[in-house]
Structures are given as structure tokens and as C-alpha cells.
Amino acid sequence: MNLARHVARNAKAYPDAPALAVGPRVVATWREMETHVARLAGGLRMTLGLAPGECVALIMRNCPEYAEVLYACWHAGLTAVPINAKLHPKELAFIVDHSQARVVFATPDLAQAVNEAVADAGARARVIVIGTPEHRALAGADPIAIARVEPDDLAWLFYTSGTTGRPKGAMLSHRNELAMTTSYFIDIDPAQPGGAIVHAAPMSHGSGVYMIPSVAQGNCQVIPESDHFDAGEVLGLLDHWRHVSMFAAPTMINRMAQHPRAASAKLENLRVVVWGGAPMYVADLEAAIAKFGYRFAQLYGQGESPMTITGMTRALVEDAHRRRDMDRLASAGLPQTVVEVKVADAEDRELPVGEVGEILVRGDSVMRGYWRNEKASAETLRGGWLHTGDLGSFDASGYLTLRDRSKDMVISGGSNIYPREIEEVLLRHPDVAEASVIGVPDPQWGEAVVAYVVARPGATLDIKALDALCLDNIARFKRPKAYREIDALPKSAYGKILKTELRARYAKESG
Ligand code: AMP
């Protein structure tokens, strides 16, 4: 089943309903989008002569054409390679070269950087800039029929953020994306035709993957007018669209909850905000629920099993919150329907309830492997299980609690310390806006815990009070040995806190 069939079906079922919009303005109906997609697919296959399975890269900021290029790739039986537009030109060059993309679509703002990256890579890829006569000619080609694909044919090469070493391209097939879509409607949020999704996060990553279930249910793809995340603008879009869903990294939710517009936003139009990609601290979740009500669902996934490891529906979040079950609120929810999830020791033996180990996943959403990287594929998929690199434990009710990435765990005096536990406590203090805990080399203990803390505007941090809070809530050996106040935490383009940068900063500061 080719994912492009969803667009074709919508064009028949709701031809005049909005498919693509910029802010409040509709720019294409489903009938129009299908025509654009079928023509662009024709341009790629017939005019440019691409063969089935070849790669097409997208280095584009969020825009309606993003959706059209993606679906045109699938319609044509090609593999899309969405690349984070904020990467360094050297990283762009690496991915263009490594993916062997034949064509790279770029938005005009990125044209120069993309041309330079392609030249640097010595790649033979052809760059097509959106809106140029070349793009218009391709988009006006004769339409072709939807290509027949096999379930394991590739749809998306998902390049990981590469915080450790070179980025790796997770090979996601049509089967993977369809399994993910099925699970989304069962485990995260039931289908709601007639709604809209606001793409407030990059479409090369989080928000782009959400596009697939959203298109499957015929929702309009709404691209905010500004090309960066603006909490006020996103809240303002609730005046124009109904049954709105969106993906948001926890930091984005915090910004929306703190925005003055939150008080007057038309919340009846906000169906669900799904958070994922990083832990949502309980204190922040409570603040967001207080502002927006029970409109939050969670999912835990990674590029290698996109959107699909565990999750919590709005109802599950609401139930835990009403019962004041903080452990459950801090959990990542239940295994999703299409996957098996287990917590295992270093030899992949399943661990009993309560014990912390690596999270392993098996099922139809799990990638086929890494593109052109057999060693990493064999290592990550050994024994038929995806090794996520995340640590966690199950409770007796089957809820998974994520601890940290294994590389972020701190080992001090022989004991494992999970930074998130300490961060959750620090964030309960009213003067703390953000906190991130790392392990630093320590001659006596191997590693020591250090907390980087951002104060709320106008507040002065009282380290003694923070220490007392830790002593009240967690074992003595886990409390930070040092605190560092910082203006803002370093974050990736996806809003993830970059602990590697904090560790480097600490090393520099300590000489
Ligand atoms: P990526 O492949 O870039 O999407 O990053 C996936 C990683 O983000 C996972 O392996 C987790 O470490 C983290 N992550 C994703 N979802 C969640 C979540 N709901 N809670 C905590 N961490 C998450």
C-alpha cells in the first residue's frame, strides 16, 4: 500500500475540503493537492528520469510545498530524504552525499546553502528551488498514476540527529509508516475528520512524521506564516481552525503555557497537543494542564521506530492527573498496539518489573536498518530487536518509565543516577524555569552530579533552598554536588536539551 493513496482517496472523498493552508489561508483543496502531487511525480519520473526507489532530498523550511514534494515522491515510488534545514552546511553535504539523492528540493531562503553543500559533497544531485521556473515546469508535468510499491519499499530515510558520530539514515518503509499510522489512532488520538494539524515543529522531523496520520484522516495541513515557532501565532490559529491537533516538544508547550495569548485562546478548537521527543517534566505538564485543560497526549518513539514505542491518550493523562498519580504522569505510557516492548539487560535478557535496563522494540514500525551502514544496522537490530539506547523500567501495570539515554546516565560511587529524577525535583521549585543535570569527571566518585539551572525572570536562585528540596525528595548521594546558573540551556533545532554541550561547557569552565 502506497502512502500516496491517502491523498488520492481524500481527493475523491472530500475534493473541496482544505488540504493545505498557510496560517488561516487555504492554498489547496484535496483535489488540487492530488493534481499537484501527480504532476510533480510525473516531473520526477518522466522529466528528470528518476527510477523507482531513488532518493530525493528535501532541505526546506516548513511550507505547503513540503507536503506536496513528500507525497509526490511516494506517488512516484521514490524515497524521500527530509533533512533538517538548520544543520551545518557540512552536515547537509554529508547527508546529501550519503543518501545518494539525485534531486534536492530547497526553499529559496536555503538555495545558496544547499547549492554550496551539494557542490562541497561533489554530489551529482540536481537542486530544485521552490518557486523557480524549473520547479514550476516540473510541477506542471503530465500526471502519472500512483506507483505500485511493495510493503518493504522505502518511503523515508530518516537521518538521526547524529549527536554521537555521523548521522545515520533509518530506512523507513511504507509498511513502517502504515503501522505507525494505525497505532497512532489506537494508542494516541482517535481519528477526527474535518480537523487540522498545525505544523509548529520542523516538517523534516517530528511534525513531518505526524503529517502521515493527519493526511490519512483528511486533516488540513496548516503551516504557520512565520518560519520559526511563535507561541502566540500558534495560539492565534485556534481562531481559524477547528479540531486542531499538533505535535510539540515539551519546551514548545512551556512557551505556549507562558504566553499571554494563552488566556484568550479559543481552546474549544484545540483538540490535542501530543508531546514527545524529550521528557515532559511533571511540574511543566501540570502548568500546561492548568492553562489548557486535558488536551495532552504523549508518545514516545524515535526515528528508528517513528512515533511508535509507547504512548498515553488524553484520557490516560487526565485519569492520572485527576488521581494525582505523579509516577504515571511522569511515565511514557503503555506499549503501542503494533509493537512489543521489553526492558533488557546487557545480554538482552528481559528484566523483571521495576528494574532499569535498555528499552528494546520489535514490530512493524521498526526500521529495516540504517542506509548503507551494515555495521550499525546489525548492532542496533541484533537478535531482531531495535536497541533504542534509552533506559527505562516497567511498573506492575505495564507502564514504561523512561530514565535517560544510556549516555546521559551518571555513575557516581558505583551507583547509577538518572538525571531526570533530579531535574523533576529541581523544577518543582518556583524560582526554577529550567534545569538540566549532567555527570562530570570526579577523582573520588568517578562521576559527580552537576545541575545547570535557569532562574525564572526576576527570581534569584537560592542554592541552599534547592539543596534542601533535593534532600527532602531524593537519596542524598543523588543530589547535585555543584550548581551552575545559566541564562538559557543549549537546545537543538528540535528543542532537545544538548547535554553534550553542557558537558563541554563544564569541562571548559573547569579548565
Ligand atoms: P529522535 O529519533 O530524534 O526523534 O529522538 C528520539 C529520542 O527522543 C528517544 O530515543 C528518546 O530518548 C527521546 N524521546 C522521544 N519521545 C520521548 C518521550 N515521550 N519522553 C522522553 N523522551 C522521549
Side-chain angles (χ1 to χ4, degrees), residues 106-154:
T107 39
D109 52 320
L110 298 163
Q112 196 186 339
V114 172
N115 273 309
E116 282 171 19
V118 170
D120 261 13
R124 59 188 182 120
R126 180 156 172 177
V127 178
I128 311 274
V129 179
I130 301 295
T132 56
E134 197 180 15
H135 171 233
R136 281 202 292 277
L138 273 188
D142 287 338
I144 56 169
I146 296 182
R148 185 198 149 120
V149 295
E150 296 306 323
D152 286 334
D153 284 348
L154 296 188

Side-chain angles (χ1 to χ4, degrees), residues 158-161 205 275-280 298-304 309-310 332 388-390 402 404-405 420 494 496:
F158 188 106
Y159 274 85
T160 55
S161 32
H205 205 80
W275 87 82
M280 177 94 195
Q298 173 181 203
L299 63 76
Y300 157 52
Q302 60 175 204
E304 291 80 348
I309 300 177
T310 59
T388 61
D390 290 320
L402 284 177
D404 285 279
R405 300 285 300 165
R420 179 165 172 195
Y494 303 122
K496 292 190 203 232

